[in-house]
Amino acid sequence: MASNSIKVEGVGKLYQLAHQSTLHTSFREALTSAALAPLRRFRQLRGTDASMEDFWALRDVSFTVEPGEVVGIVGGNGAGKSTLLKILSRITEPTEGRAVLRGRIASLLEVGTGFHPELSGRENIFLNGAILGMKRREIVAKFDAIVAFAEVEKFLDTPVKRYSSGMYVRLAFAVAAHLEPEILIVDEVLAVGDAEFQKRCLGKMKEISEGGARTVLFVSHNMAAVSALCSRALLLSHGSLKADGSPASVIQDYLIPAAVEVGGGADLLVAEGRARGMTPVFKALRILGPSGAQAGALLPGDQVSIELSLALPRPLRAPRVGVGVNNARGDRIFALATYLSPQPVARLAGDTSIQASFRLPPLYPGRYSLDISLSTEEGPFLDEVASAAAFEVLQDGYLGSTQPYFPEMGMVLVPSTWKVCGAAEAA
Amino acid sequence: MPSSPSPAYSETIIQPRTGWIAINWRELWDSRELLAFLVWRDISVRYKQTVLGVAWAVLQPVLTMAVFTVIFGMLAKMPSQGVPYPIFVYAGLLPWTFLSTAVSNASQSLVNQQALLTKIYLPRLFVPASSVGGGIIDFAISFLVFAVLMAWYGFAPGWGILALPGLVLLTFVASLGVGLILAALTVTYRDFRYVIPFMLQVWMYLSPIIYPVTLVPPGWQLVLALNPMVGVIDGFRSALLGVPWNIPALVISTVAALASLLFGLFYFRKTERRFADVA
């Protein structure tokens, strides 16, 4: 008997995007076009319009998941994560490929789907449970546990429209958490709710996966949650599967894409990490080591400069240039910004470059990535590039010890001296 | 209760499908409780936060009956097959009100509950079906009102009343059939939001609510009977008020209702797989 829990083979999903209609150069043209608009719109709605552009949200994705695995799916916005979950949840059909899932499937793509605001908490537990695929007697059996988990005992007979958003989310998650499917598909639902509740949800999910041969697919932007919960991770990028392996290595691939070399410099005119819709202003980035030359590997305590070349479409007064430094787990370690310096930059114009100099803190050895941004005090972001470049901090015996220092011990190396002071002696 | 691991897991195969898609009766049966919950939800939210509550289920048909009686019965002197005009028109309003509410709710059901299409998987047929089923309590209440009216006018139902369950079922069939088609169309073409009220108004005048079918030339009666509500309304009057049965019209209407349900089911299934992408 085949034993995979999930087997995905060459799955792809094609969407058709409507193009912005062309500009009309004459009144007559505009009139004809307006008259033909219903026909054009009809074709678009039917999906038979020739001017539509094909867009593969997902292409040729294949993987298998064994029973009991907890698989985290990571990737940037528009990478196809949600599309993949929707296909596996049977919400939308793939355009090509095939997937086989063994066991009862429950998906939680949104917290509280099917809640009715006019109904009470009690009524919604039953309704939502049924929508998620639970039988009436299952809901009855788990009712008390659901109420206790959500901590809404006092408000069971209040319409949920009067609930605070926190209560609403707790109740919705509680119902879903008490499903007992063989396959649980969870989208970024933990982004809502307070930190304490998120912790409990993660705990509950861990319990679900440990409780037996339950398979969990879990999309998250919270890398700490992925590394804590998952036994394996998949990286999606632009609709295709880029990495499949241990959470630590996949998260590193995601946060510091292989395309970003640890070379101490990067051409930013075409950067994968640029925020959507941004016109490039940052042209290039160089990391300069203590000697003033470009360097990809640094030592704790080095005098470092980051040089950014920009091409500004118009002069900018009081610009805010920021550089954020993240470790391989995606945690922001520190940030540098023009406006935080004692001498803020007053003006930037034309083709120019700007340099930030600082002493590298004693960071734990490993790869670090740089996020850069440009804005003004009141204005929106003019350019923003995540993982614009990366550098490596080398191990050099900074602590003066031959013993290893583990990341669990902390992210900063601090040399210390110790002495025995002896027992407090009577004076 | 600990759930015992089932030895043979059910297998779900996900792949592109084309053309007409068969109805998964097994799945519908397995999740019948969900349909019950959805119907119950539609019933229980119908009159939430209203002052008069369920009284609306009584007021709506009674007021319509009063208006129609004054305008068409008293002023226009519309013939009513020897039955007092108020109960004549009420017998027509009874199935019509159910159908028009069911059709307009069902057609908006998918658009109004987009999250059920885009965020979760469930047998989507249940969404419009529950909107149709949600009218059942109102239907029952208007029946009680009708019983009172019959007593008031001294009408005792004859054997014909035995045909009533069949006619009620036929009303359901027609409502569901048309509701499914319009629900599927409305997801893709939002224009139907504006078309449906107008369509229902025309449909009402094509149904013998304010006039008897006998007013129409005999040859045309059978053409008119392609509208399922002709057979239903005429049948209601025969079953409850003892008006002579018009069997050919009833047969044609039954076939039309069944055809609309069949087409509705298949059209819905065919378009269903695009719902999440266009909703």
Side-chain angles (χ1 to χ4, degrees), chain A residues 85-245:
Chain A
L85 292 199
K86 281 188 177 182
I87 289 172
L88 295 179
S89 316
R90 288 180 293 168
I91 290 165
T92 184
E93 258 181 26
T95 313
E96 58 178 32
R98 182 183 146 94
V100 180
L101 288 84
R102 293 193 182 83
R104 190 162 89 142
I105 309 157
S107 57
L108 186 58
L109 302 196
E110 182 191 65
V111 154
T113 304
F115 263 40
H116 198 290
E118 300 285 349
L119 296 177
S120 71
R122 181 192 308 278
E123 292 167 325
N124 269 307
I125 290 177
F126 280 93
L127 180 63
N128 190 233
I131 286 173
L132 292 174
M134 286 160 98
K135 298 260 180 265
R136 208 189 119 78
R137 59 183 162 75
E138 281 179 82
I139 306 171
V140 171
K142 297 197 180 111
F143 188 84
D144 292 337
I146 292 172
V147 173
F149 188 86
E151 297 172 342
V152 292
E153 292 91 340
K154 272 187 266 172
F155 307 97
L156 265 185
D157 295 304
T158 310
V160 296
K161 66 177 175 183
R162 306 212 196 286
Y163 278 29
S164 72
S165 55
M167 283 159 65
Y168 191 91
V169 171
R170 284 208 303 274
L171 183 63
F173 186 85
V175 178
H178 288 81
L179 272 168
E180 284 187 350
E182 276 91 33
I183 299 173
L184 179 64
I185 298 174
V186 187
D187 203 347
E188 184 94 83
V189 289
L190 304 177
V192 284
D194 54 40
E196 196 262 341
F197 182 69
Q198 286 190 15
K199 227 176 188 169
R200 289 221 332 247
C201 294
L202 292 177
K204 184 76 195 171
M205 280 181 57
K206 208 165 177 115
E207 200 184 301
I208 290 170
S209 59
E210 281 164 359
R214 240 177 271 293
T215 308
V216 182
L217 279 190
F218 173 54
V219 161
S220 183
H221 287 110
N222 180 346
M223 295 304 139
V226 171
S227 41
L229 273 174
C230 303
S231 53
R232 184 178 148 200
L234 304 176
L235 170 62
L236 283 178
S237 172
H238 299 288
S240 54
L241 191 61
K242 286 283 155 64
D244 178 350

Side-chain angles (χ1 to χ4, degrees), chain B residues 228-239:
Chain B
M229 289 317 281
V230 170
V232 168
I233 292 171
D234 204 39
F236 262 66
R237 289 187 180 135
S238 305

Side-chain angles (χ1 to χ4, degrees), chain B residues 46-57:
Chain B
R46 184 160 283 205
Y47 296 112
K48 289 249 172 168
Q49 216 169 4
T50 57
V51 181
L52 295 179
V54 182
W56 282 112

Side-chain angles (χ1 to χ4, degrees), chain A residues 12 15 47 72 79 88 94 104-105 152 225 232 254 280 285 305-306 323 337-338 348 367 393 405:
Chain A
Y15 283 106
L88 295 179
R104 190 162 89 142
I105 309 157
V152 292
R232 184 178 148 200
Y254 166 47
L285 184 158
S305 293
I306 292 170
V323 177
T338 48
L348 279 176
R367 291 182 80 181
V393 174
Y405 184 88

Side-chain angles (χ1 to χ4, degrees), chain A residues 93-94, chain B residues 15-23 263 265-274:
Chain A
E93 258 181 26
Chain B
Q15 57 190 357
R17 295 175 292 182
T18 48
W20 300 97
I21 296 161
I23 295 165
F263 179 73
L265 284 171
F266 283 99
Y267 182 69
F268 191 91
R269 287 292 283 175
K270 183 179 158 66
T271 47
E272 185 184 352
R273 73 197 117 116
R274 273 169 34 106

